[in-house]
């Protein structure tokens, strides 16, 4: 193996650039050449491929987004798209590929490996919805951004004795909601993976207000419903002075946290080492504090499990 | 004059606490006693009044919101409400009042003055919609919060070559939108005070994309329309990959900026000095870098004028 | 057991307040009464003890420092001091104590347990120098603060092609230096636990500059030497345009990160549950993502082990 | 005039990139060609000059430092250096130059103008020590960075009832110290332009502690003495639990504030418009909220005047 390619795919996440930097530098430190592939699998098929030197990834560790750009490209699920991509790899003499992204990216990495081009998947998504990893690259940063925003919202909620319903991201995964909910002292956390009872939440908010609490906060994962919808539900059970907020796309940006930068660096390094060992079709992750890898096929049979004990903890913590 | 009261009214704004601290400490430094009035004019009428000592306002200069709480209280526009409030002032031996808030607060301050209780209004609102002051307390902080959020949104916009329509606060005033738009390199800024042409904005966005720009950004003041509505308008003129974001209530929170803390301190101090000179019915502000005061009646005849040259400047700056 | 006391001891750390909040609320949720003890063991002996209600710990989860205050009190190592403290516990009817702090705090907790008052230690220190826990409360926040500061320093370093030597905290532990060094793309990381070679670092910096890198960065743990001393050492091996910075006490402050708030909440909750089970003399921690507890005596026989692989990783990442 | 050059000189400041962006885009919008000159006057003489297109300054408005790099170059004070620079301007067909920087930059701009190449100076320095402008580009950001750091220091100061002496930047100008001191609720602010009395400050700190204040803070401008020296002075008058902190070079970095971005944009635009009017030898600034320009020679006869009333205000505000 002499040349590796690297691409980012799916929704962008803070730390993707740090991962690209790690892959590039560790590969070069091990005598490999590195090529960047722009716009994910779309760019692979289109041949939007260029050599990456060590200095090209300078000043990127603290920059969010992905300088390789990302794009959706469902056509890569088809054999035809894959073969077009492989032709490009051959043309550029690329032997192996690192793919950073979410679920869809892993399918692509698996296909490339099946065609004889070892590929490793890295979990790059804010949603933390990937199995066999305790954290995805970007998850911690998204939590921090959401927490900072809700800390600000609480200032104004308290000044007016208001209840706020806040939508956080995560698609069908409640991890951001749970962690941010605990961190912000939410009265209730509502996630897609567990049942919830709006009436009970309404009663809890009423009790809190009666006991003198000067604000209310319900963190609702976007996968459950919109903040507006939840607000409408809540109002069925009481006359609350309530506002709805959708934190939105800012959760995808911002300079990565220490955790995300270190995680991206570790996982990027591991991906290169796996390729150097001649391995492919693997997904890298962090489990119990250790870098691990699993067959991508195994990931499709498994689903991510969140730390649902946080819901019980939060119930005790919110008075 | 021996005793002054202080209250916050209307929407809360970062720096209100810093202003209360300044009023309290400067008053005490000048031999006065200070009473806090909770929940604005509602609390005044209800007699929710308590002595404020110097140490009560410690650790508040960096805290957003208002520890005196705020509330709407339209009843204070009526003579009956005013008389009830004045009874409370008499009961607590309060001779004069400092009112921090927006437009409505000034009406209250004027009524108290007319009833013989000198009152001074301080501009506390993020909207910057008060005449005779270049900046209101909270405006700079709200701009910073909005800018930080949009900086994050731009990361993800660039990764996906997307256009974002972002709603910022300001009610009927476009000042936040203009200043934040320039600071974030918006392609277009849309405010209530000036006409705009969606088709022209659409064309500008198209040209920018064609010339290789990797993102688009339109900052829309909430007083114009919602981001969703603007997005729908925009789509009439092109097939954009566009998302809408409403920054929301986080713009009301967050630790005040240096500017807002210093402004709140200066205006709070001036309010006390005016009362010491036996003056009332005045609104304090900052004009051309200097602390000034005007008859509150004059404010009702005047409207705030923004720095609309920023629109022309921004047109030159966004390619 | 009906009443528990809680105190913070040693250097303060972000998240201590979140831990006090968690202990208080979980205890109350389980039918206990809670008493706060001010100024650590000094306040225990002096009887500076007061009841803590649920609302007393509201608005604290995002506030750094410790509202219970902290103090050094070596006298508690003596039997006399301990007996005086126990007298106060008896006087207030307190059966058990949660102690949040570093090394010294654990000795105190052990002594109280030996005298029949079950006590649980929580790792509250930015230094991350406690055995049997992968992270201490405050460590992640200190890393974020240091990283943010160094990100800013890098801006100016790059503008002038300068080398910066930056001292980060951690006393005799290099964990902050390692994690922040990787996160900031340091050319070299110098920690007390591992040998280092100034000449080699000098050569690496020279090579980087010759290959066009526009800045240099060496992160030096305070336990090694001061940044000024290291700068003097470095200058022996080359004529660098170099500056020394000591980040200082700001690393102890700042609103806690998501990680620290969640960690503090989990460990605080666990401490109460252990007391409810009649246990004492234990230190709580987080290992491999799970909350654990160990006999405090075992901690004295063990020392913290850092993730020293980060040094090798960083060597590959810094070109 | 067809081509203008642009360079940054002296110490870097947040917002310099935003100013370069504004000059570039406004010049292009007015039909000019723009050339970037790297490393200030040193690069001018060395011919390190390259064409700047609109897209080259994209993604720079929020980045601190200067992508044109900066350097000291005392040789430009000599006729020989100036002629060498002018030769380069001729070679590249550059008719006029915008210089962003501090004092020294203005001398260079004046010399170029005298040699027939109209040049305009822009105040780019965190120190705010330039006459005929109320604010320099970078000043507001430096104040925010210093304030944020001191807010964090106060957390730990309060936890341990400590006094902190904090050095802020500003060279011989006390503006950062004054504004940050007021914003952080300092007990005392010590600047080079005004006398101070350490004994009186010591007494104030003692009184504050006796009246129950849980921390002390003295902000000392670096132009007065180091924090360590001040700490030694202070200890002559009492047995304080005191720590010294030097905030250091982080004050030069960080994403520019809204104020600095807007200021840089306005002043950069004005510089181009002055050149288009055939003017040179002028320094642009902001006075009383309006963009102004003055003969650079006048700046040398004048010195910056700070808002020294802030010292009196702060004395009233700190109890």
């Amino acid at each position: 193996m002499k040349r590796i390619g690297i691409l980012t795919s799916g929704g962008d996440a803070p730390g993707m650039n740090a991962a690209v930097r790690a892959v590039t530098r560790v590969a070069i430190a091990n005598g490999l050449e590195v090529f960047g592939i722009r716009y994910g699998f779309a760019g692979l098929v289109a041949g939007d491929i260029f050599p990456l030197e060590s200095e090209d990834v300078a000043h990127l560790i603290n920059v969010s987004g992905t300088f390789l750009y990302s794009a959706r490209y469902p056509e890569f699920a088809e054999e035809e798209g894959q073969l077009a991509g492989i032709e490009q790899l051959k043309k550029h003499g690329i032997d192996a590929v690192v793919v950073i992204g979410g679920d869809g990216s892993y399918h692509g990495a698996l296909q490339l490996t099946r065609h004889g081009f070892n590929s490793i998947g890295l979990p790059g998504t804010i949603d933390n919805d990937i199995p066999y990893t305790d954290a995805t690259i970007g998850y911690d940063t998204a939590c921090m951004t959401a927490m900072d925003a809700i800390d600000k919202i609480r200032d104004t909620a308290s000044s007016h004795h208001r209840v706020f319903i806040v939508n956080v991201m995560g698609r069908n995964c409640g991890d951001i909601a749970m962690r941010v909910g605990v961190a912000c002292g939410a009265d209730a956390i509502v996630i897609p993976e567990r049942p919830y009872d709006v009436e009970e939440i309404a009663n809890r908010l009423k009790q809190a207000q009666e006991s003198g609490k000067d604000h209310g906060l319900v963190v609702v994962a976007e996968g459950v419903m919109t903040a507006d919808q939840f607000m409408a539900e809540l109002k069925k059970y009481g006359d609350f002075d309530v506002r709805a907020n959708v934190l939105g796309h800012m959760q995808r940006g911002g300079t990565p946290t220490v955790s995300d930068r270190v995680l991206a660096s570790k996982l990027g390094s591991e991906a290169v080492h796996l390729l150097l060992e001649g391995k492919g079709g693997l997904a890298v992750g962090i489990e119990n504090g250790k870098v691990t890898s699993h067959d991508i096929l195994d990931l499709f049979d498994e689903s991510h499990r969140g730390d649902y004990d946080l819901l019980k903890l939060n119930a005790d913590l919110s008075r």
Side-chain angles (χ1 to χ4, degrees), chain A residues 91-110:
Chain A
K91 186 174 148 192
H92 289 85
I94 296 172
D95 312 299
V97 180
V98 177
V99 176
I100 307 170
D103 225 40
S105 325
Y106 284 11
H107 280 94
L110 191 59

Side-chain angles (χ1 to χ4, degrees), chain A residues 253-299:
Chain A
T255 190
T257 60
V258 172
S259 278
D260 272 330
R261 296 188 196 184
V262 172
L263 178 64
S265 301
K266 283 182 173 183
L267 300 191
S269 172
E270 178 70 3
V272 174
H273 286 292
L274 290 172
L275 289 178
L276 286 168
E277 293 168 19
K279 293 179 182 164
L282 297 176
V284 177
I286 187 133
E287 294 177 275
N288 297 330
K290 275 162 200 63
V291 175
T292 60
S293 56
H294 292 267
D295 201 306
I296 288 178
L297 278 174
D298 292 345
L299 269 76

Side-chain angles (χ1 to χ4, degrees), chain A residues 80-132:
Chain A
E80 198 187 325
Q82 296 158 20
L83 292 177
I86 277 159
E87 202 170 323
Q88 291 293 339
L89 292 181
K90 285 182 185 164
K91 186 174 148 192
H92 289 85
I94 296 172
D95 312 299
V97 180
V98 177
V99 176
I100 307 170
D103 225 40
S105 325
Y106 284 11
H107 280 94
L110 191 59
Q111 295 309 328
L112 291 179
T113 304
R114 281 176 170 167
H115 283 95
F117 291 78
N118 276 339
S119 295
I120 305 289
L122 252 69
T125 164
I126 66 165
D127 300 327
N128 210 38
D129 57 355
I130 309 272
Y132 292 117

